[in-house]
Amino acid sequence: MSKITNWGIMATGKIAHTFAKAVNSVEDAKLYACASRTVPKAEEFGKLYGAEKSYGSYEQLAADSNVDIIYIASPMSCHYENVKLCFEHGKNVLCEKSITLNISQLDELISIAKEKDLFFMEAMWMKCLPAFLKAKEWFTSGRIGEIKAIRADFSNPVEFDANDRLFRPDLGGGALLDLGVYPISLITAFLGFEPVEINSSANIGGLGVDMDEAVIMKYKNAYASFVAGFDIENENRAVIVGDKGRIAFDPWFFCASVVRLYDKDGKLVEESVTPHLCNGYEYEIMECQKCMADGLKESRLNPLSETKAIMKIMDGLRKSWGFSYAEEG
């Protein structure tokens, strides 16, 4: 019988609920503990998902010796300090994307994780999905030939609310770190992490965050583009076009359960349908558990080197827009 992995969840907002449902769907995974900033909120969340322990402080969760790994679901501006807290108590970490505000914070956390010999991964769940892995398999086996273009948009219209973390720079708000990280992750997974040129434009609005952006990433023999934003309605599809065919995700690339392969004449030649076992987050949970069982300190599907390369691209984009967070000075 496999060892049960005791999960802790730090912060109990919307995304934590989605993750908790996934934990409860995974064999050999157990939602052992949760933590919020108040005891009532933690107890309400814990009761809802069957957690044994509910803490009114993050410190108590990090200090619980029975917790094997902590999923961090706090606002992005809190990730750096929350991850450090977990590492100080010897806890493995799966941190929600974007993992930090910038590469400087990430470098420090990676250094601490290595020093303390702990598992560390960004929760880029898309890269663990069967549909995404099937697309990578088709590409690496030469089914679409050399990639010429990628288009991947991700817009999520949200009504402006001055209290919503998405619009607050003090909470790491903005479309790039919340939405744009997905198309960048897809593009770099297929074309590499060093585009020769990046052109972009962003609309800085709300309370001083990027409300939307359009980005073109030029590679030696290909280009990729995306639009992301909180005030744009879009289909959120992705297509990878090669000189021998193309790959299309459906319905939305970042959580796809269906991926299709077409030949150069546009004829459908193969379709992979893999409905989520729960809500899609279960695959990153299983990836963490597999890696930890094998003694690995980072993910095979989403290694820290890739997370760092993507953060470097996002840092460059924000710099070109003149957009920085207060924590960056």
Side-chain angles (χ1 to χ4, degrees), residues 278-290:
C278 179
N279 54 28
Y281 283 57
E282 63 272 17
Y283 297 106
E284 66 181 357
I285 292 168
M286 290 187 284
E287 168 65 5
C288 288
Q289 296 188 170
K290 289 176 185 176

Side-chain angles (χ1 to χ4, degrees), residues 19 34 43 82 92-93 130 160-161 196-197 207 214 224 251 260 313 326:
F19 191 85
C34 63
E43 290 181 342
N82 293 162
N92 301 299
V93 170
F160 178 76
D161 179 352
V196 297
E197 182 181 336
L207 298 175
R260 297 185 175 92
I313 290 173

Side-chain angles (χ1 to χ4, degrees), residues 43-323:
E43 290 181 342
E44 180 183 4
F45 186 93
K47 183 178 180 180
L48 186 61
Y49 297 107
E52 284 191 25
K53 302 287 185 179
S54 300
Y55 296 114
S57 81
Y58 295 166
E59 175 82 29
Q60 288 176 301
L61 173 63
D64 190 323
S65 60
N66 291 316
V67 174
D68 297 312
I69 181 170
I70 294 177
Y71 167 70
I72 294 176
S74 57
M76 273 173 269
S77 62
C78 302
H79 288 177
Y80 171 70
E81 293 296 341
N82 293 162
V83 173
K84 282 184 68 175
L85 174 64
C86 293
F87 286 166
E88 288 169 2
H89 288 276
K91 293 297 186 293
N92 301 299
V93 170
L94 173 66
C95 182
E96 192 49 59
K97 56 80 199 159
S98 289
I99 195 166
T100 55
L101 294 181
N102 56 43
I103 199 167
S104 177
Q105 290 183 343
L106 179 57
D107 278 340
E108 183 179 347
L109 294 180
I110 291 175
S111 178
I112 296 172
K114 290 181 177 179
E115 176 187 337
K116 293 184 174 293
D117 199 31
L118 295 168
F119 178 82
F120 187 29
M121 175 182 167
E122 180 181 47
M124 177 49 67
W125 62 301
M126 176 188 73
K127 295 176 78 171
C128 299
L129 296 176
F132 185 88
L133 298 178
K134 175 57 72 173
K136 287 294 295 284
E137 177 188 317
W138 285 338
F139 167 60
T140 56
S141 63
R143 300 290 295 276
I144 64 170
E146 182 181 358
I147 293 176
K148 295 299 181 182
I150 296 178
R151 175 78 183 192
D153 296 324
F154 188 11
S155 298
N156 183 28
V158 180
E159 184 176 352
F160 178 76
D161 179 352
N163 295 314
D164 193 318
R165 68 167 183 86
L166 298 175
F167 304 106
R168 292 175 55 178
D170 61 314
L171 293 181
L176 180 64
L177 296 190
D178 195 75
L179 304 177
V181 64
Y182 281 102
I184 293 174
S185 294
L186 182 138
I187 290 165
T188 53
F190 287 86
L191 284 174
F193 298 87
E194 296 185 0
V196 297
E197 182 181 336
I198 299 179
N199 293 291
S200 69
S201 181
N203 170 31
I204 306 299
L207 298 175
V209 300
D210 56 307
M211 296 292 290
D212 55 64
E213 53 256 349
V215 179
I216 298 175
M217 300 168 64
K218 180 70 173 66
Y219 288 80
K220 183 178 179 180
N221 296 308
Y223 70 89
S225 62
F226 71 88
V227 171
F230 298 133
D231 54 0
I232 300 172
E233 188 72 47
N234 215 324
E235 291 186 338
N236 296 337
R237 300 179 186 276
V239 60
I240 303 169
V241 181
D243 56 9
K244 294 181 180 179
R246 59 185 168 90
I247 296 170
F249 295 85
D250 187 48
W252 303 291
F253 76 90
F254 58 93
C255 60
S257 57
V258 179
V259 62
R260 297 185 175 92
L261 174 67
Y262 298 85
D263 64 20
K264 63 181 179 179
D265 296 319
K267 178 183 177 182
L268 178 65
V269 294
E270 191 172 338
E271 179 180 76
S272 176
V273 181
T274 50
H276 300 328
L277 302 175
C278 179
N279 54 28
Y281 283 57
E282 63 272 17
Y283 297 106
E284 66 181 357
I285 292 168
M286 290 187 284
E287 168 65 5
C288 288
Q289 296 188 170
K290 289 176 185 176
C291 291
M292 291 166 61
D294 291 341
L296 301 178
K297 304 306 174 183
E298 58 183 280
S299 168
R300 287 165 286 207
L301 301 180
N302 189 31
L304 292 169
S305 60
E306 296 185 3
T307 302
K308 182 175 175 178
I310 291 165
M311 184 60 67
K312 181 180 179 181
I313 290 173
M314 295 196 296
D315 278 3
L317 286 169
R318 288 196 299 111
K319 183 177 180 180
S320 72
W321 305 334
F323 172 37

Side-chain angles (χ1 to χ4, degrees), residues 6-37:
N6 283 339
W7 283 83
I9 294 181
M10 184 175 287
T12 55
K14 182 178 178 181
I15 200 166
H17 287 265
T18 303
F19 191 85
K21 293 173 185 176
V23 170
N24 286 337
S25 75
V26 175
E27 185 179 2
D28 301 331
K30 178 180 181 180
L31 178 50
Y32 174 79
C34 63
S36 189
R37 294 197 179 279

